[in-house]
Amino acid sequence: MPNDAAARRSPRRADLTDWADGLPPASGAVVMATAVLSVGLHLLGLEWASLVLLGVALVVWLFLATVFVRHLLTERDRWHHEIDTPPALTAVAATAVLGTRISLLGHQPVSVALLCLSVLLWPLLMSHVIRHWQSRVPGAAYLVCVATQAIVVLAATVATADRQTWLMWPALALFAIGLVLYAVVLLRFDFRQLATGQGDHWIIAGAMAISALAAAAPHGPLRWATPAHDALRIITLVALGLALAWYAVLVVCELRWPRLHHDVRRWATVFPLGMTAVAALSTSTAADVPALWTCGKVLLWPALAVWAVVGAGAFRAAREGTAPRAPAGLSPPG
């Protein structure tokens, strides 16, 4: 009997291993989306709900990290191919956003370790991704901006908590680089993705939102660089305004061209929804615009609703043993 039971369990373990190995790099957006919603709930004072989402994000991050290391050690050719694609940068962004939430919780040694890890991964993955860009790129390409600004937000949060003001200067340099990278991707972006994209096209808004957060968060450079306060305030409000404008355009596109089937790239839709809400909440405090607090509160709830819907789809796919495969995303379809 024990042997029969073991024989029955083995195929299940094999199926789980195959499913985990089939996870695409875009799966890192699960952590990005969940962690940023945890930050938003924290800002609204809903700490218990924030901690639940933080726990989910942490478990998923640890799981994906083991898959990442497994591919590095046992499937080097596949690993090299995956880090050539924009979704690989979710490893940097997810680590930094998770680190930001952990820093807000007060666990600075952990957040510093995650900051160091994200800084080490950034040049490695960024060089591979940019080197393999094509003339036209999908929404996932905006991750070059998101990953950069996520490090800025984490560095700012750590600097404030640990009084490490020297972090201001490299963070400000990365902030400027992030804005330049957004502009570069915008020139290459295939705008047909607004009608045909499977979720990652939303990062065009998320990248602007996290740029606003990087400048305007209570822990960000807007509070550090007093001589540049006015300039950063303008940049913050412009970036948030662009994020909100893209948000509205993308909602209209979703209504015009519905895409209701489950796709792992839909997590890249949840992240901009949550990040726009968090950016509005933070900008309200940093730039003293009370109306943005209400805007952020209103935007957070649809983000949570979409997170639940996409999460339910992912859970069904996991139960069926269907790996959420997604195209590499080097060039858009059509």
Side-chain angles (χ1 to χ4, degrees):
M1 286 294 291
N3 290 337
D4 292 340
R8 285 195 299 270
R9 285 195 300 268
S10 295
R12 294 175 186 172
R13 285 198 296 266
D15 289 343
L16 179 60
T17 300
D18 290 342
W19 177 83
D21 284 342
L23 291 172
S27 301
V30 178
V31 180
M32 295 165 56
T34 307
V36 78
L37 289 174
S38 177
V39 173
L41 290 169
H42 167 74
L43 292 176
L44 292 183
L46 300 173
E47 200 65 19
W48 66 270
S50 174
L51 291 175
V52 169
L53 289 189
L54 173 60
V56 172
L58 183 58
V59 169
V60 176
W61 184 87
L62 290 170
F63 176 72
L64 293 177
T66 61
V67 173
F68 182 88
V69 173
R70 176 184 170 88
H71 289 172
L72 172 63
L73 297 178
T74 64
E75 300 182 60
R76 295 298 292 273
D77 290 341
R78 173 180 174 176
W79 186 82
H80 280 292
H81 172 70
E82 288 180 341
I83 67 172
D84 290 341
T85 66
L89 288 167
T90 60
V92 177
T95 300
V97 176
L98 181 63
T100 297
R101 179 62 188 97
I102 291 174
S103 180
L104 293 174
L105 198 60
H107 298 295
Q108 300 312 321
V110 178
S111 60
V112 169
L114 292 175
L115 174 61
C116 293
L117 179 59
S118 60
V119 168
L120 289 173
L121 287 174
W122 184 80
L124 169 67
L125 298 179
M126 190 73 72
S127 62
H128 278 266
V129 169
I130 292 178
R131 200 162 58 237
H132 291 85
W133 263 356
Q134 296 185 4
S135 57
R136 308 305 296 170
V137 296
Y142 286 101
L143 282 166
V144 298
C145 173
V146 171
T148 304
Q149 303 295 31
I151 293 176
V152 174
V153 173
L154 175 54
T157 307
V158 169
T160 300
D162 285 350
R163 301 184 183 278
Q164 300 292 330
T165 56
W166 65 270
L167 281 172
M168 171 184 69
W169 304 112
L172 285 173
L174 276 180
F175 174 71
I177 291 171
L179 293 179
V180 171
L181 288 171
Y182 185 92
V184 171
V185 176
L186 187 64
L187 294 175
R188 292 170 172 260
F189 180 58
D190 188 337
F191 284 91
R192 292 175 297 174
Q193 289 285 288
L194 299 180
T196 63
Q198 298 304 308
D200 61 313
H201 58 293
W202 273 82
I203 307 178
I204 193 173
M208 268 289 96
I210 197 171
S211 295
L213 178 63
H219 312 281
L222 184 59
R223 296 287 176 154
W224 301 338
T226 302
H229 182 280
D230 291 339
L232 283 169
R233 186 177 188 274
I234 292 172
I235 292 172
T236 298
L237 294 174
V238 169
L240 182 59
L242 289 173
L244 291 170
W246 274 121
Y247 190 114
V249 169
L250 290 164
V251 168
V252 172
C253 290
E254 292 287 347
L255 296 174
R256 173 63 180 82
W257 297 286
R259 286 146 275 186
L260 303 179
H261 59 280
H262 175 70
D263 190 295
V264 68
R265 286 167 290 183
R266 271 303 179 191
W267 288 109
T269 299
V270 181
F271 172 74
L273 292 173
M275 181 54 71
T276 304
V278 169
L281 292 169
S282 296
T283 301
S284 172
T285 301
D288 193 23
V289 183
L292 289 176
W293 185 263
T294 302
C295 177
K297 288 174 64 177
V298 170
L299 292 179
L300 189 64
W301 302 115
L304 286 165
V306 176
W307 178 89
V309 171
V310 176
F315 181 73
R316 280 196 305 272
R319 286 193 63 183
E320 294 167 0
T322 305
R325 297 182 184 276
L330 289 177
S331 59

